[in-house]
Amino acid sequence: MEKRSRLEVLAPAGDFDRLNAALQYGADAVYLGGKDFGMRASPLNFTEQELVQAVADCHRQGVKVYVTCNILPRETDLAHLPAYLHFLQGAGVDALIVADIGVMMLCRREIPQMELHMSTQTGVVNHLTACELYQMGVKRVVLARELSLEEIGHIRQNTPPDLELEAFVHGAMCMSFSGRCVLSNYLTGRDANRGECAQPCRWSYHLMEEKRPGEFFPVFEDEDGSYILNAKDLCMIEHLDRLADAGISSFKIEGRAKSFYYVATVTNAYRCAVDLLEKDPKQYRLPSWLLEETRKVSHRQYCTGFYFGRPEDGQYYESGGYIRSYDVAAVVEDYQEGMLVCTQRNRFFPGETLEILSPGQPPLSFVVSAILDGEGQPLEAARHPMQQVKIPFDHPLVKGTILRRQQ
């Protein structure tokens, strides 16, 4: 077996809160988007000034930054694209994630030194495509999510060793092949291929017979309707050794629109898991607490996607809701005179048990003996989001440490 490349934990960063969580909790690289040309169009993302700052923050910690430029652009988008590419190069980003062949070739002409990663939206499912992309200057391909480990192994054996392979290991799954979906555009006018997906695959559906308008019938016997388009979430933390053996060197976590708590918790879990894998590749056994960590974020029912072949029980998720058992009580800002100085995020009370999420460590629980306001006066509860409170504690915790509570 060829020597493995160093494994990369690649975390999402939708804004500075999520970026800081990814940095603190162990990401090797982050992927993020500017206000244009990315597959997540929302109030999140980074302005040009913010993006320059984000790159500087990451590079100070030795973390790489990959910027999404992966929409399928229409003619009206093209005039502004060259200037944006030169801006990204000047900002010092480490690579661009692109999906469109025309955009890829424009990058090669305008900013030929920029590293290029082909997005999962490209739909790379065989070594011929991967090799051709490599010949055109691509450094990495983000493989289609529909591939099995066996297929990935064949691609790795038949591609140049310095072509990097990246794959999603955790997060939401799209019901359309490689995320190339027109359902949102058809139903709502919001184009998923331009970052504006309304996620109609998560909606509940009923059937209506043509000659009986107004009479709705569930697709199967369920009073809540059918969620036949709704996919489970992916979780491969127990199988990272199998992914690495198949040739994947970058483990990608989905979730640029997820919370900073999600980014922190999942990044921390995969960071710890990858460190264990690299320490002893032949004896990879995931500690139960790391698997449990992936269940302490808001998620749908987990599955292993297509990595072990087509799932026998299918991938549809039978409800529109999430499984959520924990939320953030507070975030540590400082430690002063035996007190944790915290920013409150959700209501909690003296006497409650909170759990400490520290980078690289199993969670620890403690009972909140008291809550004080900024003047040191006792409070009956921490009730107001973003207020500063103090909690007696016997040792410092790192700034950014998350205190969470079970619901």
Side-chain angles (χ1 to χ4, degrees):
M1 182 185 300
E2 293 183 2
K3 184 179 179 181
R4 289 176 179 165
S5 302
R6 186 179 186 279
L7 302 175
E8 177 183 82
V9 177
L10 177 55
D15 61 11
F16 272 111
D17 276 349
R18 293 154 178 81
L19 176 66
N20 291 332
L23 294 178
Q24 177 151 11
Y25 285 88
D28 295 303
V30 298
Y31 65 103
L32 52 84
K35 294 294 186 180
D36 301 302
F37 304 109
M39 287 294 287
R40 289 291 183 273
S42 73
L44 302 176
N45 297 321
F46 293 79
T47 65
E48 291 192 354
Q49 183 177 358
E50 289 171 339
L51 201 149
V52 171
Q53 183 63 53
V55 172
D57 291 349
C58 290
H59 286 178
R60 272 196 299 272
Q61 298 191 41
V63 172
K64 292 185 177 181
V65 179
Y66 310 145
V67 172
T68 57
C69 195
N70 56 345
I71 66 165
L72 303 184
R74 301 292 181 90
E75 287 295 315
T76 53
D77 299 311
L78 298 181
H80 306 288
L81 187 53
Y84 184 62
L85 297 179
H86 283 283
F87 159 73
L88 294 176
Q89 178 175 256
V93 304
D94 296 283
L96 298 189
I97 304 171
V98 299
D100 183 82
I101 296 295
V103 173
M104 181 194 74
M105 297 310 294
L106 180 66
C107 291
R108 298 294 297 138
R109 291 192 298 272
E110 294 285 338
I111 47 173
Q113 303 305 312
M114 177 64 69
E115 186 172 304
L116 297 179
H117 299 176
M118 291 307 290
S119 169
T120 190
Q121 267 79 26
T122 309
V124 177
V125 295
N126 60 66
H127 77 272
L128 292 176
T129 303
C131 287
E132 290 300 325
L133 291 170
Y134 175 78
Q135 292 297 325
M136 289 188 281
V138 169
K139 174 67 174 177
R140 177 186 296 187
V141 293
V142 187
L143 294 173
R145 303 187 200 200
E146 294 76 20
L147 290 173
S148 68
L149 287 172
E150 182 179 6
E151 291 172 310
I152 293 171
H154 284 300
I155 292 173
R156 178 71 287 169
Q157 292 167 13
N158 292 282
T159 49
D162 57 338
L163 175 65
E164 298 171 358
L165 301 183
E166 178 184 306
F168 281 91
V169 297
H170 196 94
M173 298 277 284
C174 182
M175 52 78 67
S176 290
F177 185 85
S178 294
R180 299 285 284 264
C181 183
V182 297
L183 189 61
S184 176
N185 204 1
Y186 177 75
L187 292 177
T188 72
R190 291 170 53 180
D191 191 346
N193 299 307
R194 292 164 59 80
E196 299 175 347
C197 184
Q199 296 195 339
C201 56
R202 309 296 184 189
W203 301 348
S204 172
Y205 289 91
H206 287 70
L207 292 175
M208 185 180 72
E209 201 275 325
E210 179 183 10
K211 299 187 183 304
R212 287 183 283 182
E215 295 186 40
F216 299 95
F217 304 93
V219 178
F220 58 86
E221 295 299 324
D222 187 323
E223 66 275 11
D224 294 324
S226 169
Y227 292 85
I228 56 174
L229 303 178
N230 191 23
K232 297 175 183 176
D233 283 358
L234 178 67
C235 180
M236 285 293 288
I237 196 167
E238 295 178 274
H239 310 289
L240 299 185
D241 53 340
R242 301 283 299 276
L243 285 162
D245 287 342
I248 300 300
S249 60
S250 179
F251 297 152
K252 189 169 194 173
I253 299 166
E254 182 274 340
R256 279 197 289 142
K258 302 284 180 66
S259 69
F260 83 96
Y261 169 65
Y262 168 95
V263 174
T265 305
V266 176
T267 300
N268 190 55
Y270 279 86
R271 169 79 278 147
C272 294
V274 167
D275 288 347
L276 288 172
L277 174 58
E278 293 192 315
K279 183 178 180 180
D280 190 356
K282 295 182 179 179
Q283 300 295 326
Y284 179 66
R285 296 291 184 275
L286 188 74
S288 59
W289 74 268
L290 283 177
L291 182 61
E292 184 63 23
E293 282 297 291
T294 65
R295 282 144 174 78
K296 291 181 178 179
V297 296
S298 180
H299 65 283
R300 301 177 185 90
Q301 183 179 336
Y302 283 132
C303 70
T304 55
F306 293 90
Y307 284 117
F308 298 103
R310 187 177 182 86
E312 292 183 4
D313 59 349
Q315 284 189 291
Y316 79 88
Y317 184 48
E318 59 275 8
S319 78
Y322 286 84
I323 302 167
R324 181 176 177 178
S325 56
Y326 283 79
D327 56 26
V328 178
V331 177
V332 174
E333 303 293 344
D334 198 0
Y335 185 77
Q336 300 172 359
E337 301 176 344
M339 296 280 183
L340 294 175
V341 181
C342 304
T343 300
Q344 186 257 10
R345 294 301 182 102
N346 286 286
R347 187 174 61 171
F348 65 100
F349 300 87
E352 274 199 277
T353 298
L354 299 185
E355 202 169 77
I356 302 167
L357 177 62
S358 295
Q361 302 294 324
L364 294 174
S365 298
F366 75 101
V367 176
V368 178
S369 61
I371 304 174
L372 308 178
D373 64 17
E375 284 70 47
Q377 298 301 309
L379 298 172
E380 294 182 358
R383 302 179 185 277
H384 307 293
M386 304 309 291
Q387 78 175 120
Q388 191 173 93
V389 297
K390 296 180 179 180
I391 303 172
F393 203 68
D394 59 5
H395 64 272
L397 295 176
V398 176
K399 177 180 169 62
T401 297
I402 292 171
L403 307 180
R404 64 189 175 195
R405 59 185 292 274
Q406 191 166 11
Q407 293 180 343

